mmCIF file of all heavy atoms in Angstrom:
data_model
loop_
_atom_site.group_PDB
_atom_site.id
_atom_site.type_symbol
_atom_site.label_atom_id
_atom_site.label_comp_id
_atom_site.label_asym_id
_atom_site.label_seq_id
_atom_site.Cartn_x
_atom_site.Cartn_y
_atom_site.Cartn_z
ATOM 1 N N TYR A 1 90.267 37.614 12.334
ATOM 2 C CA TYR A 1 90.244 36.210 12.740
ATOM 3 C C TYR A 1 91.638 35.708 13.068
ATOM 4 O O TYR A 1 92.630 36.157 12.498
ATOM 5 C CB TYR A 1 89.691 35.335 11.606
ATOM 6 C CG TYR A 1 88.280 35.674 11.226
ATOM 7 C CD1 TYR A 1 88.012 36.654 10.284
ATOM 8 C CD2 TYR A 1 87.212 35.018 11.824
ATOM 9 C CE1 TYR A 1 86.712 36.977 9.930
ATOM 10 C CE2 TYR A 1 85.906 35.339 11.483
ATOM 11 C CZ TYR A 1 85.669 36.316 10.539
ATOM 12 O OH TYR A 1 84.378 36.631 10.203
ATOM 13 N N TRP A 2 91.725 34.714 13.976
ATOM 14 C CA TRP A 2 92.959 33.991 14.259
ATOM 15 C C TRP A 2 92.941 32.673 13.508
ATOM 16 O O TRP A 2 91.879 32.066 13.348
ATOM 17 C CB TRP A 2 93.062 33.606 15.726
ATOM 18 C CG TRP A 2 93.398 34.655 16.700
ATOM 19 C CD1 TRP A 2 92.641 35.010 17.782
ATOM 20 C CD2 TRP A 2 94.564 35.472 16.748
ATOM 21 N NE1 TRP A 2 93.275 36.009 18.480
ATOM 22 C CE2 TRP A 2 94.462 36.312 17.870
ATOM 23 C CE3 TRP A 2 95.697 35.598 15.929
ATOM 24 C CZ2 TRP A 2 95.430 37.238 18.211
ATOM 25 C CZ3 TRP A 2 96.663 36.518 16.270
ATOM 26 C CH2 TRP A 2 96.529 37.320 17.400
ATOM 27 N N LYS A 3 94.094 32.224 13.126
ATOM 28 C CA LYS A 3 94.308 30.848 12.689
ATOM 29 C C LYS A 3 95.515 30.349 13.471
ATOM 30 O O LYS A 3 96.308 31.134 13.960
ATOM 31 C CB LYS A 3 94.629 30.776 11.185
ATOM 32 C CG LYS A 3 93.415 30.960 10.299
ATOM 33 C CD LYS A 3 93.737 31.092 8.838
ATOM 34 C CE LYS A 3 94.526 30.019 8.214
ATOM 35 N NZ LYS A 3 94.673 30.165 6.766
ATOM 36 N N THR A 4 95.653 29.057 13.587
ATOM 37 C CA THR A 4 96.808 28.500 14.278
ATOM 38 C C THR A 4 97.587 27.585 13.346
ATOM 39 O O THR A 4 97.097 27.186 12.301
ATOM 40 C CB THR A 4 96.376 27.713 15.520
ATOM 41 O OG1 THR A 4 95.452 26.698 15.120
ATOM 42 C CG2 THR A 4 95.715 28.617 16.540
ATOM 43 N N ALA A 5 98.803 27.262 13.757
ATOM 44 C CA ALA A 5 99.719 26.350 13.047
ATOM 45 C C ALA A 5 100.010 26.784 11.621
ATOM 46 O O ALA A 5 99.577 26.139 10.692
ATOM 47 C CB ALA A 5 99.197 24.922 13.079
ATOM 48 N N PRO A 6 100.708 27.816 11.353
ATOM 49 C CA PRO A 6 101.329 28.746 12.290
ATOM 50 C C PRO A 6 100.315 29.775 12.789
ATOM 51 O O PRO A 6 99.219 29.870 12.259
ATOM 52 C CB PRO A 6 102.400 29.436 11.441
ATOM 53 C CG PRO A 6 101.809 29.452 10.069
ATOM 54 C CD PRO A 6 101.026 28.162 9.969
ATOM 55 N N THR A 7 100.724 30.540 13.790
ATOM 56 C CA THR A 7 99.867 31.611 14.296
ATOM 57 C C THR A 7 99.663 32.624 13.188
ATOM 58 O O THR A 7 100.612 33.136 12.619
ATOM 59 C CB THR A 7 100.522 32.294 15.518
ATOM 60 O OG1 THR A 7 100.685 31.313 16.547
ATOM 61 C CG2 THR A 7 99.667 33.442 16.016
ATOM 62 N N GLN A 8 98.414 32.899 12.871
ATOM 63 C CA GLN A 8 98.116 33.843 11.791
ATOM 64 C C GLN A 8 96.930 34.717 12.191
ATOM 65 O O GLN A 8 95.923 34.229 12.679
ATOM 66 C CB GLN A 8 97.812 33.097 10.504
ATOM 67 C CG GLN A 8 97.779 33.997 9.297
ATOM 68 C CD GLN A 8 97.716 33.197 8.007
ATOM 69 O OE1 GLN A 8 96.903 32.285 7.878
ATOM 70 N NE2 GLN A 8 98.578 33.541 7.078
ATOM 71 N N LEU A 9 97.104 36.007 11.971
ATOM 72 C CA LEU A 9 96.072 36.992 12.230
ATOM 73 C C LEU A 9 95.624 37.537 10.886
ATOM 74 O O LEU A 9 96.451 37.980 10.093
ATOM 75 C CB LEU A 9 96.646 38.116 13.096
ATOM 76 C CG LEU A 9 95.836 39.403 13.222
ATOM 77 C CD1 LEU A 9 94.519 39.138 13.917
ATOM 78 C CD2 LEU A 9 96.647 40.448 13.976
ATOM 79 N N GLY A 10 94.341 37.491 10.619
ATOM 80 C CA GLY A 10 93.789 38.069 9.396
ATOM 81 C C GLY A 10 92.813 39.165 9.752
ATOM 82 O O GLY A 10 91.914 38.956 10.562
ATOM 83 N N VAL A 11 93.007 40.352 9.176
ATOM 84 C CA VAL A 11 92.148 41.486 9.467
ATOM 85 C C VAL A 11 91.766 42.148 8.159
ATOM 86 O O VAL A 11 92.586 42.284 7.254
ATOM 87 C CB VAL A 11 92.864 42.535 10.354
ATOM 88 C CG1 VAL A 11 91.935 43.695 10.672
ATOM 89 C CG2 VAL A 11 93.390 41.910 11.632
ATOM 90 N N CYS A 12 90.518 42.564 8.067
ATOM 91 C CA CYS A 12 90.075 43.350 6.919
ATOM 92 C C CYS A 12 89.619 44.693 7.478
ATOM 93 O O CYS A 12 88.824 44.757 8.406
ATOM 94 C CB CYS A 12 88.946 42.642 6.187
ATOM 95 S SG CYS A 12 88.749 43.241 4.501
ATOM 96 N N VAL A 13 90.175 45.764 6.927
ATOM 97 C CA VAL A 13 89.951 47.109 7.441
ATOM 98 C C VAL A 13 89.035 47.883 6.506
ATOM 99 O O VAL A 13 89.399 48.138 5.359
ATOM 100 C CB VAL A 13 91.294 47.857 7.599
ATOM 101 C CG1 VAL A 13 91.069 49.244 8.150
ATOM 102 C CG2 VAL A 13 92.256 47.064 8.465
ATOM 103 N N ASP A 14 87.854 48.242 6.984
ATOM 104 C CA ASP A 14 86.921 49.100 6.250
ATOM 105 C C ASP A 14 86.661 48.648 4.809
ATOM 106 O O ASP A 14 86.527 49.477 3.910
ATOM 107 C CB ASP A 14 87.433 50.549 6.224
ATOM 108 C CG ASP A 14 87.582 51.127 7.611
ATOM 109 O OD1 ASP A 14 86.787 50.752 8.494
ATOM 110 O OD2 ASP A 14 88.493 51.949 7.818
ATOM 111 N N GLU A 15 86.611 47.322 4.592
ATOM 112 C CA GLU A 15 86.391 46.783 3.236
ATOM 113 C C GLU A 15 87.410 47.341 2.240
ATOM 114 O O GLU A 15 87.166 47.405 1.047
ATOM 115 C CB GLU A 15 84.965 47.073 2.748
ATOM 116 C CG GLU A 15 83.877 46.346 3.513
ATOM 117 C CD GLU A 15 83.858 44.845 3.273
ATOM 118 O OE1 GLU A 15 84.109 44.396 2.150
ATOM 119 O OE2 GLU A 15 83.569 44.105 4.235
ATOM 120 N N THR A 16 88.581 47.765 2.738
ATOM 121 C CA THR A 16 89.610 48.366 1.893
ATOM 122 C C THR A 16 90.907 47.580 1.911
ATOM 123 O O THR A 16 91.473 47.293 0.867
ATOM 124 C CB THR A 16 89.893 49.812 2.360
ATOM 125 O OG1 THR A 16 88.678 50.555 2.283
ATOM 126 C CG2 THR A 16 90.941 50.480 1.493
ATOM 127 N N TRP A 17 91.406 47.239 3.102
ATOM 128 C CA TRP A 17 92.697 46.571 3.236
ATOM 129 C C TRP A 17 92.549 45.199 3.864
ATOM 130 O O TRP A 17 91.887 45.049 4.877
ATOM 131 C CB TRP A 17 93.649 47.385 4.121
ATOM 132 C CG TRP A 17 93.950 48.733 3.588
ATOM 133 C CD1 TRP A 17 93.501 49.923 4.084
ATOM 134 C CD2 TRP A 17 94.735 49.050 2.452
ATOM 135 N NE1 TRP A 17 93.970 50.954 3.322
ATOM 136 C CE2 TRP A 17 94.732 50.448 2.303
ATOM 137 C CE3 TRP A 17 95.434 48.300 1.529
ATOM 138 C CZ2 TRP A 17 95.408 51.098 1.282
ATOM 139 C CZ3 TRP A 17 96.109 48.949 0.508
ATOM 140 C CH2 TRP A 17 96.086 50.326 0.401
ATOM 141 N N ALA A 18 93.196 44.213 3.283
ATOM 142 C CA ALA A 18 93.331 42.897 3.882
ATOM 143 C C ALA A 18 94.742 42.813 4.435
ATOM 144 O O ALA A 18 95.702 43.154 3.748
ATOM 145 C CB ALA A 18 93.113 41.815 2.834
ATOM 146 N N VAL A 19 94.851 42.401 5.676
ATOM 147 C CA VAL A 19 96.147 42.281 6.329
ATOM 148 C C VAL A 19 96.244 40.876 6.916
ATOM 149 O O VAL A 19 95.303 40.407 7.559
ATOM 150 C CB VAL A 19 96.290 43.316 7.467
ATOM 151 C CG1 VAL A 19 97.609 43.140 8.200
ATOM 152 C CG2 VAL A 19 96.147 44.731 6.929
ATOM 153 N N ALA A 20 97.361 40.221 6.681
ATOM 154 C CA ALA A 20 97.634 38.939 7.326
ATOM 155 C C ALA A 20 99.008 39.025 7.970
ATOM 156 O O ALA A 20 99.976 39.405 7.323
ATOM 157 C CB ALA A 20 97.590 37.796 6.324
ATOM 158 N N ILE A 21 99.060 38.706 9.236
ATOM 159 C CA ILE A 21 100.312 38.643 9.984
ATOM 160 C C ILE A 21 100.525 37.166 10.300
ATOM 161 O O ILE A 21 99.710 36.552 10.990
ATOM 162 C CB ILE A 21 100.233 39.430 11.313
ATOM 163 C CG1 ILE A 21 99.763 40.861 11.090
ATOM 164 C CG2 ILE A 21 101.562 39.346 12.055
ATOM 165 C CD1 ILE A 21 100.668 41.721 10.275
ATOM 166 N N THR A 22 101.596 36.588 9.777
ATOM 167 C CA THR A 22 101.887 35.178 10.014
ATOM 168 C C THR A 22 103.168 35.076 10.819
ATOM 169 O O THR A 22 104.199 35.620 10.428
ATOM 170 C CB THR A 22 102.033 34.410 8.686
ATOM 171 O OG1 THR A 22 100.865 34.640 7.891
ATOM 172 C CG2 THR A 22 102.191 32.923 8.936
ATOM 173 N N LEU A 23 103.090 34.385 11.931
ATOM 174 C CA LEU A 23 104.209 34.246 12.851
ATOM 175 C C LEU A 23 104.688 32.804 12.819
ATOM 176 O O LEU A 23 103.941 31.894 13.154
ATOM 177 C CB LEU A 23 103.729 34.628 14.256
ATOM 178 C CG LEU A 23 104.721 34.756 15.370
ATOM 179 C CD1 LEU A 23 105.676 35.924 15.117
ATOM 180 C CD2 LEU A 23 103.988 34.973 16.684
ATOM 181 N N TYR A 24 105.924 32.608 12.378
ATOM 182 C CA TYR A 24 106.539 31.283 12.360
ATOM 183 C C TYR A 24 107.494 31.217 13.544
ATOM 184 O O TYR A 24 108.452 31.981 13.617
ATOM 185 C CB TYR A 24 107.293 31.054 11.050
ATOM 186 C CG TYR A 24 106.388 31.146 9.849
ATOM 187 C CD1 TYR A 24 106.265 32.332 9.136
ATOM 188 C CD2 TYR A 24 105.632 30.048 9.450
ATOM 189 C CE1 TYR A 24 105.418 32.418 8.049
ATOM 190 C CE2 TYR A 24 104.772 30.135 8.360
ATOM 191 C CZ TYR A 24 104.683 31.321 7.665
ATOM 192 O OH TYR A 24 103.839 31.412 6.595
ATOM 193 N N ASP A 25 107.205 30.331 14.474
ATOM 194 C CA ASP A 25 107.954 30.261 15.723
ATOM 195 C C ASP A 25 108.204 28.795 16.079
ATOM 196 O O ASP A 25 107.515 28.230 16.925
ATOM 197 C CB ASP A 25 107.154 30.968 16.816
ATOM 198 C CG ASP A 25 107.888 31.053 18.128
ATOM 199 O OD1 ASP A 25 109.043 30.600 18.209
ATOM 200 O OD2 ASP A 25 107.284 31.573 19.088
ATOM 201 N N PRO A 26 109.198 28.169 15.449
ATOM 202 C CA PRO A 26 109.411 26.740 15.670
ATOM 203 C C PRO A 26 109.782 26.375 17.108
ATOM 204 O O PRO A 26 109.557 25.241 17.530
ATOM 205 C CB PRO A 26 110.548 26.394 14.705
ATOM 206 C CG PRO A 26 111.222 27.676 14.407
ATOM 207 C CD PRO A 26 110.170 28.746 14.533
#
């Protein structure tokens, strides 16, 4: 899933790993 403000990507891989990439870009 995407979220905004800040840009954030959330991914769950094979019910094993949760990954969140948060991009702060003022």
Side-chain angles (χ1 to χ4, degrees):
Y1 299 87
W2 285 122
K3 284 172 55 174
T4 57
T7 299
Q8 192 170 49
L9 166 64
V11 181
C12 200
V13 181
D14 300 327
E15 293 291 323
T16 301
W17 299 108
V19 177
I21 307 296
T22 306
L23 188 66
Y24 300 95
D25 185 2

